[in-house]
Structure formats: C-alpha cells, structure tokens
Amino acid sequence: MGLTAAVAALSLAATLAGCGGVGDSGDVTLKLVAADYGNNDSNTSQKYWDDLARSFEKSHPGITIDVDVMSWKDVDREVAEMVKNGQAPDLAQIGAYADYAAEDRLYKADDLLSIRTQANFLPLLSRAGEVDRVQYGMPFAASTRLLFYNKDLFAKAGATPPKDWKGIREAAEKLKAQGVTYPFALPLGSEESQAETMMWFLSGGGGYRDTADISYEINSTANVSTFKWLKSELVDPGLTGPGTPGELDRQEAFDAFARGDVGMLNGHPTLMETAEKAGVDVGKIPLPGTDGEARATMGVADWMMAFKQNGHREEIGTFLDYVYEDKNVLAFSDKYDILPVTVTAGTAMQGDPKHKDLWPFLAELPTSELYPVGQTSWAKVSESIKKNIGKAVEPGGDPEAVLAGIAQDAKDAEAAE
C-alpha cells in the first residue's frame, strides 16, 4: 500500500492513539527557536511563526508559543549554547539534531506526533531523521539541486544543455569562447563546498558513504575519478572562471549567475527566483552524470527537534501536529520556495500550477540523497571538506591525496563517535 493510502487509513487510528491532548498541568509556554529563511526584515520567518503561533493559540487555549527567530549564521551556535547552559528550548528548528539525540536530550518522534503526522513525512526524510533506527529529527524544510543554465548565454554561444560530463565540457568551451566570465561556476570555497562536493560525487557514481551506509567512503575510486576529471577537464582549461574554485563561495557564484555572468552552475529553488527577478532566463535540468543523468541529486533537509529538559511532551506534540498540517506546510513553502516535507502537501503542490517552477525540484526529492546527518561525526567531516576540498583542483593539486586526507579525518571522527 502506498504511503498516501497508508496515511488515509491511519487517520482514524491517529485520532484515537495520537499524543495530541494537553495535559492537566495548567497553562504552558513553549519556547521555539527557529532559523530565518528570509533575507530582509520584510520577509523574515518571524512573521510566519508569529502568525502560526497566534492561530494555534486561538484553538488551543492553555498553550502559548514563544518564538525566537535567528539568522542561519547564529541559530545553531545559539541553541548549542542554550543547551550547554541548561536552558534548552522546548523546540528548535535548526540544521542538525544528531549530537543532541546521541546525548539523550531529545524526545523521540514516536513520543510526540500523532500516527497520521509521522506517517505523512516523506520516507526518505524520516529515515534521514533517525539515529540507530529511531527518529529524533523531524524534517521541516527540504530542497534539491538541479543544473541551472543561462538560456540567453547558451543561445549566443550555440551551446546545448548538457546531458553528460562531455556535454558540460563542450558547452563550457563554447561559453568561454563567447567571453562568458564563468562558463561553469564551481564554488568549492569554505561557505558550502560540502554541498558542491556531494553533487559531483553523486554525478560520478559515488557519494559520502558506502552503499550499505556503514562507513564513509570519501576517497573511493569513483570520487577520486570525479575530482580528477573536474581538475583536468574544467578547472585546468580555465572553464570555471577567474581565480580558483577553492576561493569561490556559493553566494558569490549565485550572485554572479543573477548578474548574467555564469553559463552553468548547480542551483536550488531560491536561486531560481532571485535570478528570474533579475531578468535571467533560467534553464533547469537534472544533474548530468558521466554517461547520462546522474543516478541521484543531492537533497537537503532542515530539522525540527524537541528537547526533553522542560517536559511538556503532550503540549509539544499538539503544537507539532498543527505545524505539519498541509495549510501550514504549504504556506511556508510558498513564502520561501522550499519543498514540502510531507506526502500530502507535496501532492497538493504537484497539482497546483502556481508551483510549476518547483515541480522539477519536487520530482527529484524522493530519490535524492541527503547528507549523513544521522552521524554525529558528520559535523567534523563537513568541516574537513570545507577546509580542504578546494585544494584538490588548484594548480599542482592532487585530488587523490586531498581526498585521502579528508577520508582520514572522517575515519578519526567516526572512531570518536
């Protein structure tokens, strides 16, 4: 039976078995710390959460929601500091949960959500929220990646959208001949190079973990071959633009694409909207692989988690069931061009023409691969990638040696788990 049918079949059971009722402890205030998906005061996520909280409170007297929205630059660090000081919030909507789960600080999703709500998460995202096969991280927002290209620059260069790596090289050569600043923008700087690296690993048939998800496989044959190709076929011939990829951050590359200075890059839904508003005619295709479409694209999820420190399990569950109602999931997706994390909201988006621009990203989500966020070692591995991966393609760089160094860091981090 498909998940959508299972969700419907479990609706009655959810009413009977869900942990949505409020306890007898009197009025409760739940503290929620959340990340800001907006880029200015006019579209801050604080407004979304304030509106949702006031709506919830009207229908759930006795529960007050106190929301503090922080920038992505600060929110993970601030929550970690709160936890360290014994002042954990009831809920946090941030980037990672595994460390807190490993320290037994979080409620299990089973202990919070109604059956209907928990069953409605996309299976891929539910699994990514698990530590030792128990779900602690509840997906809140998701996105996938596609290859973006500037249709006008491609037309002027006589280039065709690439279907494989050979096509990427050929298109980049034509774009360079037309004077395009960045034929293929390759941001391997410290900002988010773990994402760019993962996309290329996947397109080359590799990935961060082995197929059984037992251990890291950073310097696999496939991954080494991928970065050797990048260096010899794109970077060394000057097809990735001025400077070296290790000095190019993601936001710089995205800004350049919105200015019309980039022929191709790997992008996400927010860039699509920004570039189109700037007048760029954006083409979007699945990531090309060595001999055709990549076996998978990269998926990204941000997480909701509930801390046990203050109790309030039933009230937290009641609020989260409300948070994950379709109307609220879709309202957030609408506001920030983010993919919904539930089956029913995703189905609604697929059936609504106003979301047509997001359909290609949504189609990639069920088969995408996510960071190994359930591993407490991932934070250290990610930092090593950010610090070192750009060296693999710099002049005189040795991709095999650089990936071996990162692999050793991963092995050390895993041993410390």
Side-chain angles (χ1 to χ4, degrees):
M1 180 168 56
L3 183 57
T4 303
V7 169
L10 288 169
S11 178
L12 178 59
T15 302
L16 299 174
C19 47
V22 180
D24 298 324
S25 56
D27 290 354
V28 168
T29 296
L30 300 179
K31 175 69 175 180
L32 165 64
V33 177
D36 195 350
Y37 289 75
N39 52 23
N40 56 57
D41 290 341
S42 66
N43 70 346
T44 174
S45 299
Q46 186 74 51
K47 185 177 188 307
Y48 168 83
W49 282 113
D50 285 345
D51 289 347
L52 185 145
R54 301 298 82 80
S55 174
F56 171 80
E57 290 164 358
K58 287 179 181 178
S59 57
H60 297 81
I63 307 177
T64 300
I65 310 298
D66 177 16
V67 184
D68 190 1
V69 170
M70 302 180 185
S71 75
W72 272 110
K73 292 188 299 182
D74 303 322
V75 68
D76 288 286
R77 173 176 48 79
E78 290 289 340
V79 170
E81 193 69 19
M82 292 176 190
V83 173
K84 180 181 177 182
N85 293 335
Q87 299 172 335
D90 296 286
L91 291 152
Q93 187 273 296
I94 52 178
Y97 65 87
D99 284 346
Y100 300 125
E103 295 168 358
D104 194 29
R105 296 182 182 273
L106 302 180
Y107 283 117
K108 302 173 185 176
D110 287 347
D111 294 335
L112 297 168
L113 303 173
S114 69
I115 297 171
R116 189 177 195 279
T117 297
Q118 191 172 6
N120 199 18
F121 290 133
L122 287 167
L124 168 81
L125 302 179
S126 289
R127 290 193 297 271
E130 295 178 351
V131 174
D132 295 331
R133 300 187 182 276
V134 177
Q135 185 179 2
Y136 295 92
M138 293 159 280
F140 179 75
S143 66
T144 55
R145 303 295 189 261
L146 297 173
L147 181 72
F148 286 20
Y149 64 96
N150 185 313
K151 289 184 178 180
D152 293 335
L153 294 180
F154 264 63
K156 290 176 183 177
T160 56
K163 296 181 179 180
D164 52 25
W165 285 3
K166 179 182 178 183
I168 289 176
R169 166 72 189 251
E170 291 173 349
E173 289 174 336
K174 292 180 179 180
L175 291 162
K176 183 181 179 182
Q178 284 292 312
V180 175
T181 306
Y182 295 93
F184 194 109
L186 184 66
L188 295 178
S190 61
E191 181 189 358
E192 205 186 37
S193 53
Q194 83 281 5
E196 190 72 18
T197 299
M198 183 171 177
M199 284 182 272
W200 281 101
F201 279 178
L202 291 173
S203 68
Y208 281 133
R209 306 274 294 181
D210 60 33
T211 54
D213 196 27
I214 294 173
S215 61
Y216 290 97
E217 205 172 45
I218 305 291
N219 61 333
S220 68
T221 300
N223 292 345
V224 170
S225 295
T226 292
F227 267 77
K228 284 183 175 180
W229 185 90
L230 279 174
K231 186 178 188 307
S232 65
E233 299 298 314
L234 287 186
V235 181
D236 288 349
L239 300 179
T240 55
T244 63
E247 298 170 345
L248 182 66
D249 281 340
R250 184 192 69 167
Q251 193 58 53
E252 294 177 74
F254 282 11
D255 290 345
F257 186 81
R259 291 195 305 268
D261 293 337
V262 174
M264 297 173 278
L265 52 58
N266 295 325
H268 60 52
T270 302
L271 173 61
M272 173 188 67
E273 180 184 23
T274 301
E276 288 176 346
K277 285 182 177 178
V280 176
D281 191 0
V282 182
K284 306 180 293 293
I285 56 175
L287 300 184
T290 52
D291 300 308
E293 186 177 325
R295 68 175 179 85
T297 189
M298 185 185 79
V300 176
D302 301 323
W303 302 95
M304 180 74 76
M305 62 212 69
F307 289 88
K308 297 193 292 186
Q309 179 179 315
N310 304 320
H312 304 155
R313 178 184 66 84
E314 292 188 9
E315 293 85 358
I316 291 171
T318 300
F319 178 61
L320 288 176
D321 280 342
Y322 187 81
V323 166
Y324 286 108
E325 289 182 9
D326 282 357
K327 64 180 181 181
N328 297 320
V329 173
L330 288 169
F332 191 85
S333 297
D334 283 346
K335 191 171 183 64
Y336 298 110
D337 279 331
I338 293 291
L339 301 182
V341 297
T342 63
V343 172
T344 52
T347 300
M349 179 176 279
Q350 286 176 319
D352 189 343
K354 77 176 182 179
H355 295 297
K356 190 174 182 179
D357 283 347
L358 289 175
W359 289 350
F361 298 95
L362 195 61
E364 296 288 323
L365 185 57
T367 57
S368 64
E369 290 195 17
L370 280 70
Y371 298 134
V373 290
Q375 307 294 324
T376 56
S377 57
W378 170 240
K380 292 180 180 178
V381 176
S382 177
E383 283 304 311
S384 179
I385 295 165
K386 292 178 183 179
K387 180 180 178 181
N388 295 300
I389 195 63
K391 301 172 187 176
V393 296
E394 67 186 12
D398 182 345
E400 188 167 7
V402 170
L403 291 177
I406 297 172
Q408 184 61 52
D409 289 343
K411 184 177 180 181
D412 293 343
E414 207 163 24
E417 282 187 309

